[in-house]
Amino acid sequence: MDGKNRPDLPIYLDYQATTPLDPRALEAMMPYFTAKCGNPHSVDHRYGWEAEAGVEKARKEIASLIGAKPDEIYFTSGATESNNIALKGISYTHYPAKNHIITCLTEHESVVQTARSLEKQGFDVTFLKVDKEGLIDLDELKEMITNKTIMVSIMGVNNEIGVIQDLAAIGDICAEKNIIFHSDCAQAAGKIPLNIQDMKITAMSLSCHKIYGPKGIGALYLKKNTDIIALFDGGGQERGLRSGTLSPALCAGMGMAYRTAQTEMQQDYDHALKLSQRIKEIIFEGLDNVCLNGHADIRFPGNLNFTFRDSRSDLLVREFTNIAISTGSACSSAKVGSSHVLSALGADKKSIQSSVRIGFGRMTSMDQAEYAARRLVEIVKMVRGAA
Ligand SMILES: *Cc1c(COP(=O)(O)O)cnc(C)c1O
């Protein structure tokens, strides 16, 4: 998937949609697909115990990355499910005494649509605006909090434009008003330092496949003694919050992915920063009328979202046969020109239709980054010339 080992495939530059699997995560998973085949919830024999041991080891590794305790980590199928459990499961316990939720226009669809669904059920939702760089206004957040507010849900790193919200400052505001702070950290975990205590976070959604682990697993961090109700009924696994048999293989893969991310975070970050600087250099030297979407500095460097004026991104992406980049988030790229994130930054339809996201990381080489940036310059010139 890194385009180096698979010369028949395009260079992979869509790391916000998903990342390649780190071989170390794959290796950690393998025994649980074969010899260690037990159900981790079987308590009567060694097969069950060894599968359970694998799950619990992973739980510790995940907790460690964010400064939580292992029994505050609940496995789920991914950040989408975690966002649903956190927003709905917590809000329901407060309704109708309290009915207000604050989130933001640029959240991932799995938060935006969950909030919309709660709206239909009688909750009041405030969608905070962002400035043209993609950041929320903390004073506005403060003003919106009422005595009906249950929680604030603001993401760490944005999946479309990479900007980083000030979680510690938001956590301070929430703690002061004694309301719950939930953060979707699918794109932040393992990429920037996160600590649930320093950031005063009550609930955090985690994914695994955005940080070099397998798809189909994630977790919810939930601070001890937080009121919540389960969305599924069943066998009561995950301390009653998330019934269903866990996959020890996926759990072990996630544990290893998180452990690796913790030890290599600085190295990964420095690598992404170096690639990002070089890509920007090539693009800004080669082209006029380009803008980088989102704050120039308060961002994760492995995500660059550009608007190339007068060059439609669907045409660009089509020309890009040997490089895999995207016109927006994986969940909304079926509708070109419909990015709710770029709209919230104030971009018009034409600009949105001329935007592409380039995502890279651990497996991307400098050669690949330079090659892609140079090709992008050529192709934008070509598409502009043809227009
Ligand atoms: C990918 C992503 C999700 C969804 O995560 P899954 O594990 O694929 O369900 C949620 N939020 C953000 C910010 C994401 O990037």
Side-chain angles (χ1 to χ4, degrees), residues 16-18 76-83 107-111 155-160 184-188 205-210 215-218 331 357:
Q16 280 70 45
T18 194
T76 66
S77 64
T80 298
E81 187 186 334
S82 302
N83 286 335
E107 290 291 313
H108 187 266
E109 292 288 9
S110 57
V111 168
M155 72 200 317
V157 173
N158 186 276
N159 50 302
E160 285 197 46
D184 173 359
C185 287
Q187 296 282 349
S205 298
L206 301 167
S207 185
C208 175
H209 68 104
K210 309 290 175 68
K215 297 165 190 57
I217 184 163
C331 27
R357 181 183 67 189

Side-chain angles (χ1 to χ4, degrees), residues 14-292:
D14 200 7
Y15 274 54
Q16 280 70 45
T18 194
T19 53
L21 184 67
D22 190 294
R24 290 167 286 187
L26 178 63
E27 197 185 326
M29 290 162 73
M30 292 308 282
Y32 297 98
F33 283 123
T34 50
K36 299 185 178 181
C37 62
N39 181 323
H41 315 296
S42 295
V43 295
D44 296 322
H45 49 70
R46 276 184 47 199
Y47 288 93
W49 306 334
E50 79 188 352
E52 190 199 16
V55 169
E56 295 314 316
K57 177 166 176 268
R59 200 186 300 280
K60 268 193 209 137
E61 290 166 328
I62 294 160
S64 163
L65 181 77
I66 59 170
K69 297 184 197 77
D71 64 354
E72 294 173 315
I73 300 295
Y74 299 82
F75 285 107
T76 66
S77 64
T80 298
E81 187 186 334
S82 302
N83 286 335
N84 272 268
I85 295 175
L87 267 74
K88 292 175 182 163
I90 293 173
S91 297
Y92 291 160
T93 66
H94 293 270
Y95 192 78
K98 288 183 177 184
N99 70 340
H100 181 226
I101 295 157
I102 300 176
T103 182
C104 166
L105 282 173
T106 55
E107 290 291 313
H108 187 266
E109 292 288 9
S110 57
V111 168
V112 173
Q113 297 306 330
T114 301
R116 295 260 181 243
S117 157
L118 286 167
E119 248 176 350
K120 286 192 201 118
Q121 297 168 44
F123 288 85
D124 257 344
V125 181
T126 299
F127 288 94
L128 296 176
K129 292 190 279 297
V130 292
D131 61 22
K132 61 185 197 315
E133 316 210 279
L135 297 169
I136 63 163
D137 178 344
L138 295 172
D139 290 327
E140 192 191 348
L141 168 60
K142 264 185 232 162
E143 281 164 24
M144 292 298 165
I145 294 173
T146 71
N147 57 9
K148 294 277 190 188
T149 306
I150 301 165
M151 73 161 96
V152 169
S153 177
I154 300 289
M155 72 200 317
V157 173
N158 186 276
N159 50 302
E160 285 197 46
I161 54 175
V163 299
I164 304 172
Q165 303 291 352
D166 190 345
L167 297 185
I170 298 167
D172 281 339
I173 294 170
C174 292
E176 192 183 313
K177 305 265 184 176
N178 204 18
I179 54 181
I180 284 158
F181 177 24
H182 165 255
S183 184
D184 173 359
C185 287
Q187 296 282 349
K191 299 195 179 129
I192 59 170
L194 292 175
N195 184 293
I196 48 95
Q197 265 150 29
D198 298 346
M199 294 170 163
K200 305 188 171 74
I201 291 173
T202 328
M204 181 191 285
S205 298
L206 301 167
S207 185
C208 175
H209 68 104
K210 309 290 175 68
I211 189 74
Y212 313 107
K215 297 165 190 57
I217 184 163
L220 176 69
Y221 154 77
L222 187 69
K223 189 177 170 168
K224 215 169 272 179
N225 300 324
T226 305
D227 288 333
I228 191 162
I229 59 161
L231 304 185
F232 292 177
D233 296 306
Q237 287 91 344
E238 294 302 90
R239 282 142 287 144
L241 186 55
R242 207 280 193 164
S243 283
T245 305
L246 290 175
S247 162
L250 293 179
C251 294
M254 183 166 180
M256 182 53 84
Y258 272 52
R259 182 160 83 168
T260 309
Q262 189 170 7
T263 52
E264 296 181 7
M265 192 184 299
Q266 190 64 47
Q267 190 180 322
D268 283 342
Y269 186 92
D270 293 344
H271 180 62
L273 187 62
K274 219 168 60 188
L275 298 179
S276 144
Q277 282 164 343
R278 188 70 188 115
I279 293 171
K280 280 191 286 187
E281 226 170 66
I282 293 173
I283 285 175
F284 286 121
E285 272 169 23
L287 292 168
D288 296 325
N289 290 319
V290 183
C291 100
L292 177 65

